């Protein structure tokens, strides 16, 4: 699903998209659909009213052409009003059409797949339920979303992510989640299905990109209420204008009043509002980010604080055992052997790297023999793991946790231990302490590297007004070293799930919007609490379900792009609202002088003092009204590319962005209609003789 900018722009107005969109724009003339948009509903009602007026004029009904306007004028106004509604529907239909095209591609991928249950039975993938266990061999398609419970395999996820490079999925750890529709390239895995029928990841993607389940966001609802209020006010103004005009000795036609009403209300932003929201979701999908709600996209635009996990986000995430550092009286071989034994049941990348490094220090291959050890798994509470085997207890983990455990066993850790832990941490590494019963054996030096360009990216976030917080389970010294190297604003060391939750809640209590990325089960509570929770697609099922966004590329730094899309959505909506309202000023100067040009005219004069408002020197009252309506209708499709692409965004402060918005879209929206309406009037009046 990755696309270049050129391809995206090129596909915006392909005939394959425009054809169905044009048909849908006519289908959407259904009043039940248009009624969802109060402004466009008023435009459609006005079009129906003027169309009825024209029919009545054609049939010769008396008084139907109040104000002396001929039937052709009513017909022209009616056509332009209908075009305004159709063009508004077209903007929404194009945005939806791009999503439907993506959905069609996903449906083509979602073929009927056989699922081989662990029991040996073969069933259709559509019949799988949560809790079913299936076996997937090399070359087979994974039948549903689930978690790898046994084995390790290379998986082709290009159908979901667009990336051709295979990824490794394995049991245990944070890379155990698999997605239905992806294909196993090698080996064999056992998968426990975690989805309900019809609610797979692909099903949700189809629903979201189609826009079928799109709900209006809080900002969109608020703007709709504002537009509806403005429409109601101007409706009252136009309705009462007739009696006032009669009192002044001027009769105004129904067609002219309808044209004035449509000019007063802001149909441009009303027509584009839905398209802007759909396009925002679409831009995220094209960046391989699945937003589970439009609210999350908007929230991303208002983010103040960003929490990032260190491992895999700030750093490369492949911490490997670099060196064994034994304590006095302990040989490196003895430490390596104990570390290897404690890690034989550890299927994490770090655990396997310890085993591999230990083999290079003595070159011995260890096993458990006939007696199976009791495995002590790692937990967030203990922050260590190990085994109990034949009366010997081996532990490895965070330095303070292991030292506390040794002390609890009656041991006396050497003073050199604390110095070694601090030195490794001070160098930016992660120290793991190793102990056997009541004896501290030494330290395993795990090394990780800060990703290239992270300092620049965090500086970019800072320019956006976003404070970055690195979250890590490492000790404060290691965390401080990595934080300084990466350029984050602050850090949370020795972070537990409870500590992450508390930090997020504290920030939210002060009114800040918090975003967080994560991939592990221990990240799930924080992802659920954050205003914007971005789960990695490679992460656990719990993490993916807790977040309100899923990054299909599993690139935690993509949160920067997510924030940019969110801000771009808000800026686009604000910019086009400013432009639409500014547009109305020119239309007032076009239509109002046309209505009252002859009001209070002196004897023998064809125009009165109010004709001085005709600052554009438009040809005739009829050409002025028609020119304003033509511009009003054409500006909507002209702005569709901007609504779909989004307004340009740069990392500037709020004041600078507001100033730029008012200058470009405020002043520009004020000047452009004067030029456009005058140019159209030259054609309508001089060439067509209106």
């Amino acid at each position: 699903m990755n696309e270049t900018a050129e391809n995206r722009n090129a596909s915006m107005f392909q005939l394959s998209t425009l054809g169905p969109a044009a048909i849908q724009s006519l289908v959407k003339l259904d009043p039940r659909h248009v009624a969802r948009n109060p402004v466009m509903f008023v435009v459609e009602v006005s079009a129906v009213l003027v169309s009825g007026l024209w029919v009545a004029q054609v049939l010769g009904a008396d008084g139907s052409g109040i104000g002396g306007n001929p039937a052709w004028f009513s017909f022209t106004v009616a056509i332009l009003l209908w075009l305004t509604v159709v063009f508004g529907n077209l903007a929404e239909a194009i945005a939806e059409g791009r999503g439907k095209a993506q959905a069609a591609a996903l449906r083509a991928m979602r073929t009927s797949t056989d699922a081989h249950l662990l029991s040996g039975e073969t069933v259709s993938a559509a019949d799988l339920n949560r809790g079913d266990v299936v076996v997937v061999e090399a070359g087979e398609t994974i039948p549903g979303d689930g978690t790898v419970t046994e084995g390790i395999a290379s998986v082709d996820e290009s159908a979901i992510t667009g990336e051709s490079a295979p990824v490794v999925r394995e049991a245990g750890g944070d890379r155990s989640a698999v997605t239905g529709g992806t294909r196993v390239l090698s080996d064999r895995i056992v998968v426990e299905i975690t989805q309900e029928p019809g609610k797979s990841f692909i099903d949700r993607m189809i629903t979201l990109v189609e826009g079928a389940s799109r709900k209006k966001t809080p900002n969109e609802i608020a703007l709709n209420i504002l537009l509806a209020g403005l429409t109601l006010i101007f409706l009252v103004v136009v309705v009462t204008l007739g009696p006032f005009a009669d009192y002044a000795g001027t009769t105004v036609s129904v067609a002219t009043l309808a044209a004035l009403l449509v000019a007063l209300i802001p149909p441009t932003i009303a027509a584009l509002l839905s398209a802007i929201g759909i396009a925002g979701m679409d831009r995220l999908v094209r960046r391989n980010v699945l937003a589970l709600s439009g609210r999350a996209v908007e929230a991303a635009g208002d983010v103040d604080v960003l929490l990032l996990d260190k491992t895999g986000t700030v750093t490369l995430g492949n911490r490997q055992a670099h060196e064994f550092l034994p304590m006095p009286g302990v040989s490196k071989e003895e430490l390596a052997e104990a570390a290897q034994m404690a890690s034989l049941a550890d299927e994490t990348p770090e655990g396997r790297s310890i085993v591999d490094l230990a083999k290079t220090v003595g070159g011995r291959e260890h096993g458990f023999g006939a007696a199976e050890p009791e495995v002590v798994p790692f937990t967030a509470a203990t922050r260590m793991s190990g085994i109990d085997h034949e009366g010997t207890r081996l532990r490895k983990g965070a330095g303070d946790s292991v030292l506390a455990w040794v002390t609890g066993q009656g041991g006396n850790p050497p003073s050199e231990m604390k110095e070694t832990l601090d030195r490794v941490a001070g160098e930016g590494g992660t120290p793991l302490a190793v102990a056997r019963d009541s004896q501290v054996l030494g330290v395993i030096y795990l090394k990780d590297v800060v990703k290239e360009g992270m300092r620049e990216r965090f500086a970019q976030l800072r320019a956006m007004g976003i404070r970055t917080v690195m979250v890590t389970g490492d000790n404060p010294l290691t965390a401080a070293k990595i934080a300084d190297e990466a350029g984050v604003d602050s850090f949370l060391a020795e972070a537990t799930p409870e500590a992450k939750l508390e930090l997020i809640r504290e920030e939210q209590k002060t009114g800040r919007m918090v975003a967080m990325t994560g991939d592990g089960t221990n990240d799930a509570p924080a992802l659920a609490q954050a205003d914007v929770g971005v789960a990695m697609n490679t992460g656990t099922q719990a993490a993916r379900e807790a977040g309100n966004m899923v990054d299909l590329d599993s690139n935690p730094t993509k949160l920067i792009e997510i924030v940019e899309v969110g801000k771009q959505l808000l800026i686009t909506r604000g910019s086009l609202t400013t432009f639409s309202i500014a547009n109305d000023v020119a239309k007032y100067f076009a239509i109002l002088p046309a209505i009252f040009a002859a009001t209070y005219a002196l004897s023998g004069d064809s125009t009165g003092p109010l004709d001085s408002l005709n600052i554009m020197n438009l040809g005739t009252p009829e050409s002025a009204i028609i020119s304003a309506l033509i511009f009003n209708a054409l500006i909507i499709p002209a702005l569709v590319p901007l609504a779909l692409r989004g307004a340009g965004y740069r990392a500037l402060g709020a004041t600078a962005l507001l100033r730029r918005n008012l200058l470009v879209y405020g002043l520009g929206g004020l000047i452009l209609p004067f030029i456009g309406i005058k140019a159209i009037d030259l054609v309508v009046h001089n060439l067509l003789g209106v």
Side-chain angles (χ1 to χ4, degrees), residues 151-386:
I152 180 172
S154 297
V155 179
D156 177 12
E157 295 187 345
S158 59
I160 301 293
T161 66
E163 298 294 337
S164 58
V167 296
V168 175
R169 294 290 176 264
E170 58 186 326
D174 294 337
R175 297 185 179 272
S176 59
V178 291
T179 304
T182 58
R183 189 164 59 92
V184 174
L185 299 178
S186 67
D187 303 298
R188 169 187 181 274
I189 53 175
V190 178
V191 178
E192 180 181 350
I193 301 300
T194 57
Q195 73 184 45
E196 297 293 343
K199 296 182 179 179
S200 69
F201 197 69
I202 292 179
D203 289 323
R204 287 194 295 167
M205 286 184 67
I206 292 172
T207 302
L208 287 163
V209 299
E210 280 187 324
S213 65
R214 195 184 85 88
K215 297 179 180 178
K216 291 182 178 179
T217 62
N219 284 342
E220 194 173 345
I221 292 172
L223 187 53
N224 265 313
I225 293 172
L226 173 62
L227 296 177
L230 287 174
T231 301
L232 184 61
I233 292 170
F234 290 129
L235 181 61
V236 173
V237 169
V238 172
V239 170
T240 58
L241 190 62
F244 280 107
D246 289 338
Y247 181 78
T250 300
T251 304
V252 184
S253 71
V254 174
T256 299
L257 288 175
L260 177 62
L261 176 61
V262 173
L264 286 171
I265 62 179
T268 304
I269 181 60
L272 297 173
L273 195 56
S274 181
I276 293 170
I278 296 172
M281 299 281 285
D282 178 70
R283 284 197 295 277
L284 276 181
V285 171
R286 291 172 185 272
R287 287 170 170 79
N288 280 351
V289 177
L290 181 62
L292 304 183
S293 71
R295 184 190 296 260
V297 184
E298 282 191 351
D302 290 326
V303 164
D304 302 296
V305 181
L306 173 59
L307 272 63
L308 303 104
D309 186 47
K310 186 205 76 172
T311 306
T313 305
V314 179
T315 64
L316 291 175
N318 55 346
R319 293 187 302 182
Q320 301 290 304
H322 176 65
E323 187 180 1
F324 292 116
L325 304 173
M327 291 295 99
V330 179
S331 67
K332 182 173 291 187
E333 289 76 13
E334 184 182 0
L335 171 60
E337 182 176 359
Q340 182 181 19
M341 294 290 290
S343 304
L344 285 176
D346 187 352
E347 292 298 321
T348 66
E350 292 88 348
R352 289 193 292 270
S353 75
I354 293 171
V355 173
D356 292 338
L357 181 63
K359 291 177 182 178
T360 65
V361 181
R364 297 175 61 187
E365 187 75 35
H366 288 282
F368 296 118
E372 287 293 325
E374 181 182 346
V375 178
V376 180
F378 177 89
T379 67
T382 63
R383 298 169 61 226
M384 61 181 182
S385 62

Side-chain angles (χ1 to χ4, degrees), residues 83-96:
L83 282 176
T84 301
V85 183
V86 170
F87 286 154
N89 291 340
L90 183 66
E92 182 180 9
I94 290 175
E96 291 177 346

Side-chain angles (χ1 to χ4, degrees), residues 137-162:
E137 305 277 355
E140 296 179 347
T141 299
I142 298 173
D145 298 352
T147 301
V148 179
T149 59
E150 181 184 326
I152 180 172
S154 297
V155 179
D156 177 12
E157 295 187 345
S158 59
I160 301 293
T161 66

Side-chain angles (χ1 to χ4, degrees), residues 641-663:
L642 178 61
L644 299 183
R645 186 179 60 253
Y649 171 72
R650 290 185 294 171
L652 301 172
T655 303
L657 284 174
L658 179 60
R659 188 183 302 113
R660 178 174 172 269
N661 180 288
L662 292 175
L663 180 63

